Amino acid sequence: MNIVPMRLFLIFTGLLVSNYSSAAPDPPQPIPPAPGLPIDDGAFLLVIIAIIFALYKLLQYNKRATF
């Protein structure tokens, strides 16, 4: 086999394959947020409960520390 036709065949094949390998599919579409899932509805109540619990624990600690 002659060197020149083999070289042309390899160049042609390389160009043909590189065209397909450089193409990438489109990225997936972002997922829309789920409707009806508010985060801050119960946050205020949770903060109030946490403050009450912290005060309860502080009073418990102070009672133990004084005796």
Side-chain angles (χ1 to χ4, degrees), residues 4-56:
V4 174
M6 183 63 150
R7 187 175 291 175
L8 289 176
F9 175 72
L10 288 175
I11 290 172
F12 177 73
T13 306
L15 289 174
L16 186 66
V17 171
S18 68
N19 187 22
Y20 290 116
S21 66
S22 65
D26 291 335
Q29 297 295 325
I31 299 172
L37 296 176
I39 294 175
D40 59 351
D41 278 352
F44 182 71
L45 183 62
L46 185 63
V47 168
I48 297 297
I49 291 171
I51 290 172
I52 292 171
F53 183 71
L55 290 174
Y56 171 74

